[in-house]
Amino acid sequence: MIKCANPSEQFKSHQSRIENAVLNVLRSEHFVLGDNVDNLEKEFARYIGTEYAIGVANGTDALELALRALNIGIGDEVITVSHTAVATVAAIEATGATPVLVDINSEFYSIDTTQFKETLSSKTKAIIAVHLYGHAAEIETILKICKEHNIFLIEDVSQAHGAKFKNKRLGSFGDISCFSCYPTKNLGAIGDAGLITTNSAKFNSKIRMLREYGWKNRLSIYPGRNSRLDEIQAAILRVKLEFLEQDNLKRVNIAKFYSEKLKGIDAIELPSIKKDCLHVFHLFVIKLKKRDELIEHLKKDGIFAGVHYPVPVHLQEAYISRVRTSKSMVVTENIVKEILSLPIYPELKKCETEKVIRSIENFFTNEIN
Ligand SMILES: *Cc1c(COP(=O)(O)O)cnc(C)c1O
């Protein structure tokens, strides 16, 4: 069986290091917000290239706390995309602000910057730019619009740990940037975890308060949350962070191999990479008309492809009446029927990648016959 993502294989490849790190926590006296969290924050900030990093409980919380740190709440609007993990929108909704969901461009599936501009209102306080699938959104254009209109930029880097634009890591462009470390992500814990990066001392100290009841010296000066990161997850993430560059390179090589072998199949649209970008292939997403038939065919060969995502957030029951959208959502609504995520993770073996390719080739050969 070949899965779309496979965090247990990743555990096996670093097993003794991870087991030792966890044992050290179990035998210590600190279980939440201790030395491992402190060190992870320092190491991650250095890796991303920001002044500060803050550990939190998960990626959704990271986004919610970032918005709260910017004083965003009821009566405000926050722009993002509908073609994203529901978490991006859930975090906005949790603050009381209104999510404004903008269509995506058809080449890279990131926010359509023309429509982004048209959707701005006097209530717009921030944009959450999602770096989907491991690839940068149009960061320069987005930054320019943010400056012109005096709105904050939050990056959602949950799918792009380590990715770059013009040699700078994503997560270092925004006022505040947010990362999920859910097990399947490029930097994944063995449980839930999240990280926030920023260059602002002010936001850094406010987020540190917000993640623990809004406390300063054990008195709440903001209405806060509990979003602490525990030592076990931080210890695991410190081990995995050491291998992130190497693991991302493995993803890139698998992506190159897929692209090389599948480029002859006209019915498949392969992922394209923007100029000046390091894409870290959290997902390898192809587009084709016979998507559902291919999923079934792959399944028969023991290959489990995914769909990220099958239903845009603005069409999901919980959010239909709670979001505003851009005038057109046509790209978002059409591509969900045609996108397919092929298996990709650092431990995926060459013979397994070949098996996936062969299965796809067979699907198209049989179809012609
Ligand atoms: C995974 C993910 C999140 C949510 O993270 P959790 O840790 O599951 O809360 C947010 N945004 C994007 C783009 C994601 O892929």
Side-chain angles (χ1 to χ4, degrees):
M1 185 172 83
I2 304 177
K3 297 185 194 169
C4 191
N6 199 334
S8 33
E9 281 303 313
Q10 176 145 70
F11 167 60
K12 285 181 206 151
S13 63
H14 311 304
Q15 184 159 355
S16 62
R17 294 274 316 268
I18 291 174
E19 286 177 350
N20 278 329
V22 171
L23 256 185
N24 284 336
V25 175
L26 297 180
R27 289 169 177 164
S28 77
E29 292 178 354
H30 279 108
F31 304 127
V32 284
L33 298 184
D35 287 346
N36 279 293
V37 172
D38 281 351
N39 285 319
L40 172 66
E41 289 175 344
K42 290 191 185 101
E43 289 154 9
F44 194 67
R46 195 179 317 133
Y47 177 76
I48 297 298
T50 52
E51 288 291 322
Y52 309 99
I54 305 124
V56 293
N58 56 65
T60 314
D61 279 5
L63 290 161
E64 185 190 331
L65 297 191
L67 291 161
R68 290 186 187 279
L70 300 172
N71 288 324
I72 292 168
I74 295 167
D76 298 328
E77 290 182 348
V78 178
I79 291 177
T80 192
V81 285
S82 190
H83 185 63
T84 180
V86 75
T88 315
V89 183
I92 300 171
E93 212 273 332
T95 67
T98 302
V100 178
L101 307 183
V102 173
D103 205 5
I104 50 178
N105 61 65
S106 57
E107 195 180 1
F108 302 111
Y109 312 147
S110 48
I111 192 162
D112 175 337
T113 50
T114 311
Q115 293 208 60
F116 164 29
K117 237 175 154 164
E118 289 167 9
T119 318
L120 290 162
S121 81
S122 57
K123 295 179 182 168
T124 309
K125 291 286 155 58
I127 173 177
I128 301 180
V130 181
H131 303 303
L132 204 68
Y133 304 155
H135 198 195
E138 276 69 9
I139 200 80
E140 273 179 336
T141 314
I142 293 169
L143 264 170
K144 193 164 156 268
I145 300 172
C146 287
K147 290 214 172 94
E148 272 168 23
H149 297 269
N150 203 20
I151 63 172
F152 292 113
L153 170 60
I154 297 173
E155 291 176 76
D156 184 346
V157 206
S158 298
Q159 301 192 0
H161 314 68
K164 290 181 185 173
F165 175 68
K166 291 202 169 158
N167 238 6
K168 264 184 75 179
R169 301 241 188 243
L170 304 184
S172 64
F173 293 90
D175 295 287
I176 304 178
S177 299
C178 303
F179 299 75
S180 163
C181 298
Y182 182 76
T184 57
K185 311 283 174 166
N186 289 38
L187 178 65
I190 305 185
D192 278 312
L195 283 156
I196 297 174
T197 54
T198 183
N199 283 318
S200 154
K202 190 176 79 185
F203 298 149
N204 172 57
S205 62
K206 186 164 178 190
I207 292 165
R208 283 175 191 284
M209 290 184 239
L210 291 174
R211 77 173 167 185
E212 196 170 32
Y213 322 125
W215 268 359
K216 186 180 188 180
N217 303 325
R218 299 193 153 247
L219 289 173
S220 298
I221 63 167
Y222 299 110
R225 290 272 321 275
N226 170 11
S227 186
R228 289 179 297 235
L229 178 58
D230 71 73
E231 284 285 291
I232 290 182
Q233 298 308 335
I236 293 168
L237 287 170
R238 290 183 69 200
V239 174
K240 295 237 195 141
L241 181 57
E242 281 184 50
F243 296 96
L244 180 57
E245 281 298 280
Q246 180 185 315
D247 285 345
N248 277 345
L249 188 63
K250 288 181 186 168
R251 288 176 182 270
V252 169
N253 285 331
I254 294 165
K256 275 188 191 148
F257 192 61
Y258 273 139
S259 292
E260 246 169 59
K261 298 290 172 183
L262 297 175
K263 69 170 184 260
I265 304 175
D266 289 339
I268 293 180
E269 200 177 301
L270 292 165
S272 33
I273 305 180
K274 280 172 220 156
K275 198 170 158 277
D276 296 324
C277 284
L278 173 68
H279 189 323
V280 294
F281 287 98
H282 173 60
L283 295 169
F284 187 89
V285 177
I286 61 172
K287 193 165 147 247
L288 75 163
K289 295 265 183 263
K290 303 213 159 170
R291 193 267 313 270
D292 292 340
E293 290 95 319
L294 181 56
I295 289 181
E296 287 312 307
H297 171 87
L298 288 167
K299 222 181 260 172
K300 283 187 203 127
D301 284 341
I303 298 160
F304 294 85
V307 175
H308 300 86
Y309 295 89
V311 181
V313 180
H314 72 282
L315 298 179
Q316 296 188 33
E317 196 178 329
Y319 294 102
I320 288 176
S321 62
R322 290 172 186 264
V323 303
R324 191 158 78 72
T325 66
S326 56
K327 255 187 239 123
S328 164
M329 291 298 273
V330 63
V331 182
T332 297
E333 289 176 10
N334 285 337
I335 66 149
V336 295
K337 299 169 212 147
E338 299 185 351
I339 47 176
L340 180 69
S341 313
L342 296 181
I344 193 164
Y345 51 90
E347 292 74 22
L348 187 71
K349 296 189 197 78
K350 179 111 185 218
C351 62
E352 293 171 319
T353 318
E354 280 167 345
K355 191 179 162 193
V356 177
I357 292 161
R358 228 174 302 124
S359 178
I360 297 173
E361 285 168 347
N362 288 340
F363 173 77
F364 284 103
T365 325
N366 296 340
E367 191 192 48
I368 292 157
N369 291 341

